[in-house]
């Protein structure tokens, strides 16, 4: 029988149960952050339970943290969650990259960066963008707080095996088009529920030629198409990326040999296949209030087909037939677990170099981790950003969800490298337009979106 | 966990599709370290015009719907972030059952952990239920896997494992701990690359 990479990893992790019914699955790594963990630790405490495998658990602080003056948390409840994680980690013996620690950062950025994320693993975290880690050829998905508690107590989780979708991504990426545009293009075409509950695997020559960071961007947003996870089969690019990192295996030969068994036998093994040719792909931007409400940069906003469209237009204050260049951009956000890695910072800096952001635009640059911040500063990116008029910050989730003071004001249009444009996501009344770092940089410079292919052609 | 068998109660229809977790409980209310107290902020942006100023047009604010325990809604309910607070908010508000066209996977799993019965029914059937008046009762019969309203009986599916958990109000961790031997056996076989 033909099997997918996903099937092979899954089957290896089943402790009990039959396919089709909930099965008990072993978890190799649980990542923990301050927002979805307090109730889980509280539950353990109430029932006199321990964290079963502290060596397979790693915590950091990201959602709430200030990105400026980081030890001065004004929001009392945010401070309480951050302090609570500190106490809990200590009490239960969980490793923690706390405030100011060089390893601190967005949970989905630091897992790969520290070599904690490895092929063939089952990885969970109380956060939907856990899908990011699937880029390494692992099974990685977001869970709720009760499940966080369950994994802490038992190192296992009950799950029903999902169906699989293979997305065949092929062709050479045009100039000015990035991994972000591929996933936005897929969601725009297939809808925000195309992958509901499924294990989606991206494969094809375009994927094989991608760096790990690009693969992470792609898998990260698979969740916006409803998928439970987004995967890429591990290859030499993956092994090279993991090698030498802080928590990477010491015996890489042995590890690589083990990881190499996790490949998809043939596309026939998928329950369904979607074909996506990138050769004519354009940069994408979202106009509305879900990631599927997106158009190519040279397109027009669509007609109103239902109440949701009407509601979205009312919210963003735009009209059908408007073009991306008609949006008045007054805020730009560079960061998040989608596009907050060093390569993204480099792309944005490249575009901003020698330019200044338009008058009336506020631009925040928030590296995904403290290590990325330090690396970026070493090569002078911070200077480029500051010279261009951007605000260079400390790491965290920041304006991706505005749980800290970094929020987009009501009614303001924000060009954002993050992953969600839901109502109020970046602050009450904020109007988010998702795009790649290069597109956001160009929008910040011009005060509106432009077709970067024309400039870079 | 509180067991659920037969819920006979009033319902409230909110038929939008794709109601996401940001709508169910906006992020400014997540900064809590307990599981209770979220109900008053459920559907916050729709329910209030300003802090402490309920929107009189929003159906949950209608006096005659206030004690409804069954929510009838659209497709892809609970999409978006994985926050379990969305389920806690629905439960804390008082909902025991949600009837939608489908759920995000994470939301569904969270509902099974917290005793919120999430049922899937097709649109035609939900449209009939949505017509139930504020004074009419809808019966959700879990043992018989059936929703009853006036003369209609709508069958629904549920995994036997979840059904058993709901009916008996079981705690997940305790169930799993019965497999301790098997977990240990598995752990002994995990490859080591050091
Ligand atoms: S950066 Fe945004 S999407 Fe990623 S984990 Fe943080 S809040 Fe979630």
């Amino acid at each position: 029988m033909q099997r997918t990479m996903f099937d092979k990893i899954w089957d290896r992790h089943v402790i009990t149960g039959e396919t089709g019914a909930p099965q008990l699955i072993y978890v190799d790594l649980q990542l923990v952050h301050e927002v979805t963990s307090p109730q889980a630790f509280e539950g353990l405490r109430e029932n006199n339970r321990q964290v079963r495998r502290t060596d397979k658990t790693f915590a950091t602080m990201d959602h709430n943290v200030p990105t400026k003056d980081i030890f001065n948390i004004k929001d009392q409840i945010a401070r309480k969650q951050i302090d609570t994680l500190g106490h809990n980690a200590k009490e239960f013996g969980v490793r923690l990259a706390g405030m100011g620690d060089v390893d601190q950062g967005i949970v989905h950025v630091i897992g790969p960066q520290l070599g904690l994320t490895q092929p063939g693993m089952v990885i969970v975290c109380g956060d939907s963008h856990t899908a990011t880690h699937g880029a390494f050829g692992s099974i990685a998905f977001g869970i709720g707080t009760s499940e966080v508690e369950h994994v802490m107590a038992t190192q296992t989780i009950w799950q029903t095996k999902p169906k699989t979708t293979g997305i065949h991504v092929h062709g050479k990426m045009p100039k000015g088009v990035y991994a972000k545009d591929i996933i936005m293009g897929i969601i725009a075409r297939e809808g925000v529920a195309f992958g509901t509950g499924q294990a989606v695997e991206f494969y094809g020559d375009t994927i094989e030629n991608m760096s790990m960071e690009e693969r992470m961007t792609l898998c990260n947003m698979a969740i916006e198409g409803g998928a439970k996870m987004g995967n890429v089969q591990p290859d030499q690019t993956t092994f090279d990326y993991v090698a030498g990192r802080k928590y990477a295996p010491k015996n890489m030969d042995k590890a690589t040999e083990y990881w190499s068994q996790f490949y998809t036998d043939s596309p026939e093994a998928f329950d369904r296949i979607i074909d996506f040719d990138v050769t004519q792909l354009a940069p994408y931007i979202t106009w509305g209030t879900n990631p599927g409400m997106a158009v190519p940069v040279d397109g027009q906003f669509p007609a109103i087909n239902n109440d949701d469209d009407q509601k979205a237009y009312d919210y963003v204050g735009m009209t059908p037939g408007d073009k991306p260049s008609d949006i008045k951009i007054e805020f730009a956000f560079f960061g998040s677990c989608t596009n907050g890695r060093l390569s993204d910072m480099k792309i944005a800096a490249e575009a901003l170099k020698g330019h200044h952001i338009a008058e009336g635009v506020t631009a925040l640059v928030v590296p995904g981790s403290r290590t990325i911040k330090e690396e970026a500063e070493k090569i002078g990116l911070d200077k480029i950003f500051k010279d261009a008029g951007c605000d260079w910050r400390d790491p965290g989730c920041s304006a991706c969800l505005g749980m800290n003071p970094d929020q987009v004001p009501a009614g303001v249009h924000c060009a954002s490298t993050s992953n969600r444009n839901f109502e109020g996501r970046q602050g009450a009344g904020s109007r988010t337009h998702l795009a790649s770092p290069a597109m956001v940089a160009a929008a910040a410079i011009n005060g509106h979106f432009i077709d970067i292919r024309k400039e870079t052609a | 966990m509180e067991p659920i068998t037969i819920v006979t109660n009033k319902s409230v229809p909110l038929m939008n599709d794709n109601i996401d977790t940001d709508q169910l409980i906006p992020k400014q209310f997540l900064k809590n370290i307990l599981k209770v107290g979220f109900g008053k902020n459920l559907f916050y942006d729709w329910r209030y015009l300003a802090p402490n100023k309920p929107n009189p047009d929003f159906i949950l604010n209608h006096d005659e719907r206030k004690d409804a325990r069954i929510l009838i809604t659209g497709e892809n309910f609970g999409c978006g972030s994985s926050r379990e607070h969305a389920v806690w908010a629905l439960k804390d508000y008082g909902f025991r059952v949600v009837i939608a066209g489908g759920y995000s996977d994470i939301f569904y799993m969270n509902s099974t952990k917290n005793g919120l019965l999430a049922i899937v029914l097709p649109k035609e059937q939900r449209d009939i239920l949505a017509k139930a008046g504020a004074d009419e009762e809808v019966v959700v019969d879990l043992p018989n896997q059936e929703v009853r309203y006036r003369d209609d009986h709508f069958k629904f599916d549920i995994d036997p494992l979840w059904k058993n958990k709901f009916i008996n109000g079981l705690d997940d961790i305790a169930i799993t701990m019965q497999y301790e031997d098997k977990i240990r056996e598995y752990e002994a076989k995990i490859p080591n690359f050091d």
Side-chain angles (χ1 to χ4, degrees):
Chain A
M1 204 184 89
Q2 305 275 309
R3 291 200 299 160
T4 62
M5 173 204 91
F6 165 77
D7 293 324
K8 293 177 187 178
I9 302 174
W10 181 277
D11 294 349
R12 266 198 92 91
H13 285 80
V14 173
I15 290 170
T16 188
E18 298 301 318
T19 309
Q23 293 174 296
L24 192 63
I25 300 295
Y26 195 80
V27 174
D28 299 299
L29 173 66
Q30 171 156 237
L31 297 165
V32 173
H33 66 82
E34 78 279 14
V35 177
T36 55
S37 67
Q39 288 90 351
F41 283 113
E42 189 58 35
L44 292 181
R45 206 175 282 122
E46 273 168 19
N47 294 288
N48 248 321
R49 289 170 176 149
Q50 305 291 316
V51 174
R52 180 185 176 93
R53 295 294 298 258
T54 49
D55 59 331
K56 294 178 187 288
T57 312
F58 195 97
T60 193
M61 297 157 174
D62 55 4
H63 282 68
N64 267 334
V65 304
T67 56
K68 207 161 119 174
D69 196 8
I70 63 166
F71 294 106
N72 183 9
I73 305 170
K74 301 215 176 59
D75 180 333
Q76 289 310 311
I77 311 171
R79 179 206 292 258
K80 186 152 185 207
Q81 282 192 336
I82 288 167
D83 290 348
T84 301
L85 179 54
H87 297 145
N88 283 334
K90 206 160 171 202
E91 179 182 337
F92 289 90
V94 170
R95 294 171 291 177
L96 171 72
M99 298 297 289
D101 191 301
V102 65
D103 292 338
Q104 184 214 347
I106 303 171
V107 66
H108 310 308
V109 172
I110 66 161
Q113 178 188 296
L114 291 172
L116 289 162
T117 302
Q118 296 169 17
M121 281 185 162
V122 170
I123 301 173
V124 299
C125 173
D127 187 280
S128 53
H129 290 93
T130 308
T132 316
H133 308 265
F136 288 77
S138 57
I139 291 183
F141 53 91
I143 59 177
T145 298
S146 293
E147 291 178 304
V148 171
E149 182 182 337
H150 187 277
V151 176
M152 283 176 174
T154 67
Q155 205 56 36
T156 63
I157 187 166
W158 289 98
Q159 290 284 311
T160 305
K161 190 175 182 182
K163 294 242 182 275
T164 56
T165 292
I167 305 190
H168 183 208
V169 185
H170 53 92
K172 190 172 178 300
M173 287 223 274
K175 246 191 152 169
V177 173
Y178 297 88
K180 180 71 162 283
D181 300 304
I182 296 180
I183 187 64
M184 286 179 63
I186 292 171
I187 297 167
R189 193 183 79 187
E190 303 290 330
V192 288
F194 83 86
T196 299
Q198 305 215 347
V200 168
E201 181 181 324
F202 300 94
Y203 68 101
D205 59 298
T206 316
I207 309 297
E208 286 159 26
N209 292 326
M210 277 184 179
S211 69
M212 283 316 294
E213 305 211 335
E214 292 175 295
R215 293 178 189 178
M216 283 188 250
T217 299
L218 198 66
C219 294
N220 170 280
M221 277 189 75
I223 175 94
E224 308 309 334
K228 188 178 177 76
M229 62 190 90
N231 303 322
V232 172
Q233 176 173 308
D235 60 10
Q236 198 56 45
T237 307
T238 322
F239 308 147
D240 291 347
Y241 186 94
V242 176
R245 292 182 183 269
K246 190 165 175 181
Y247 297 105
K250 294 201 184 63
N251 188 340
M252 273 300 288
D253 289 343
K254 206 170 153 198
T256 308
E257 194 195 323
Y258 171 76
W259 295 340
S260 299
Q261 69 182 295
F262 301 116
Y263 59 88
T264 294
D265 294 333
S266 106
E268 283 159 38
F270 295 116
D271 293 308
R272 169 178 73 148
I273 292 177
I274 290 173
D275 185 88
F276 200 78
D277 180 356
V278 304
T279 43
Q280 302 298 324
L281 192 68
Y284 265 76
I285 71 124
T286 60
W287 59 266
T289 53
N290 75 45
M293 293 173 165
V295 291
V297 65
D298 51 2
Q300 290 186 337
F301 301 170
I304 294 169
N305 288 317
N306 52 45
D307 289 355
D308 288 347
D309 289 348
Q310 181 66 58
K311 212 163 157 269
Y313 274 115
D314 291 346
Y315 183 80
V316 298
M318 304 294 298
T319 28
D322 282 350
K323 298 187 291 297
S325 57
D326 296 330
I327 305 169
K328 184 173 162 49
I329 295 298
E330 292 180 295
F331 207 104
F333 173 62
F334 300 91
S336 88
C337 57
T338 310
N339 281 131
R341 284 172 286 268
L342 189 64
S343 55
D344 303 306
M345 300 280 127
K346 282 185 189 162
I347 290 166
E350 172 99 349
L352 285 161
K353 197 170 183 174
H355 295 277
H356 200 277
I357 57 173
E359 213 179 303
V361 174
T362 303
L364 280 191
V365 189
V366 185
S369 72
R370 189 157 301 281
T371 302
I372 292 171
K373 182 173 192 245
E374 288 176 4
E375 283 170 355
E377 287 174 354
K378 239 180 258 162
I379 55 173
L381 300 189
D382 57 323
K383 184 154 186 323
I384 297 175
F385 285 121
K386 285 184 219 159
D387 287 349
C390 304
D391 212 342
W392 175 249
R393 294 294 184 86
D394 278 291
C397 294
S398 177
C400 173
L401 90 168
M403 265 182 97
N404 72 350
D406 307 344
Q407 298 187 0
V408 177
V412 167
H413 293 273
C414 173
S416 180
T417 68
S418 57
N419 45 53
R420 283 191 175 146
N421 52 338
F422 297 154
E423 284 184 25
R425 170 82 178 179
Q426 296 194 290
S430 62
R431 296 163 167 178
T432 303
H433 303 281
L434 304 176
S436 73
M439 282 288 289
V440 172
I445 295 166
N446 292 282
H448 60 82
F449 283 105
I450 61 160
D451 191 342
I452 55 170
R453 293 173 301 178
K454 293 193 177 139
E455 266 197 9
T456 52
Chain B
M1 215 164 73
E2 201 184 344
I4 289 193
T5 49
I6 297 175
V7 179
T8 303
N9 215 293
K10 292 183 188 172
S11 64
V12 56
L14 203 59
M15 301 308 282
N16 312 49
D17 292 334
N18 301 312
I19 293 180
D20 61 62
T21 51
D22 279 318
Q23 254 53 64
L24 285 167
I25 182 88
K27 60 181 170 287
Q28 65 267 36
F29 304 116
L30 305 186
K31 296 171 183 171
N32 191 322
I33 57 168
L34 303 172
K35 290 187 186 184
V36 293
F38 294 100
K40 60 179 182 297
N41 297 318
L42 177 72
F43 294 118
Y44 184 86
D45 289 337
W46 294 343
R47 208 160 132 207
Y48 300 98
L49 296 169
N52 296 319
K53 188 158 177 266
N55 173 3
D57 296 334
F58 187 59
I59 191 159
L60 257 63
N61 291 331
H62 297 178
D63 274 340
E64 67 279 13
R65 298 277 182 179
K66 272 191 177 144
D67 47 359
R69 296 289 165 259
I70 300 169
L71 177 67
I72 323 268
T73 184
E75 304 292 334
N76 196 27
F77 186 78
C79 57
S81 94
S82 63
R83 63 185 70 147
E84 190 160 338
H85 311 70
V87 174
W88 297 335
L90 286 160
K91 279 232 48 191
D92 191 52
Y93 175 89
F95 285 120
R96 311 232 39 218
V97 181
V98 181
I99 303 178
Y103 301 91
S104 85
D105 193 66
I106 297 175
F107 179 90
Y108 188 82
M109 289 303 289
N110 288 339
S111 69
T112 66
K113 313 277 167 194
N114 288 282
L116 179 74
L117 182 58
I119 293 174
V120 176
L121 285 181
K123 184 167 175 5
E124 314 80 68
Q125 298 182 353
R126 278 180 288 121
D127 284 344
I128 293 171
L129 295 175
K131 295 201 186 88
D135 53 347
E136 287 184 295
E137 283 187 331
V138 171
V139 180
V140 176
D141 178 342
L142 180 56
N144 290 306
Q145 298 182 214
E146 190 172 81
V147 178
R148 293 189 290 273
Y149 165 62
R150 295 196 183 172
D151 294 335
D152 284 312
H153 292 225
F154 303 133
K155 285 279 178 194
F156 62 86
D157 280 336
I158 182 168
D159 188 281
L161 192 103
W162 305 142
K163 183 174 174 177
N164 179 39
K165 275 192 58 177
F166 275 112
I167 291 180
N168 296 303
L170 296 175
D171 163 347
D172 267 14
I173 296 176
I175 296 178
T176 303
M177 283 182 162
Q178 298 168 357
Y179 296 95
E180 176 63 23
D181 288 353
K182 289 197 160 194
I183 298 172
R184 278 225 199 106
E185 232 170 80
Y186 182 91
E187 285 179 322
K189 285 189 291 198
I190 296 174
N192 181 336
F193 309 129
D194 286 338

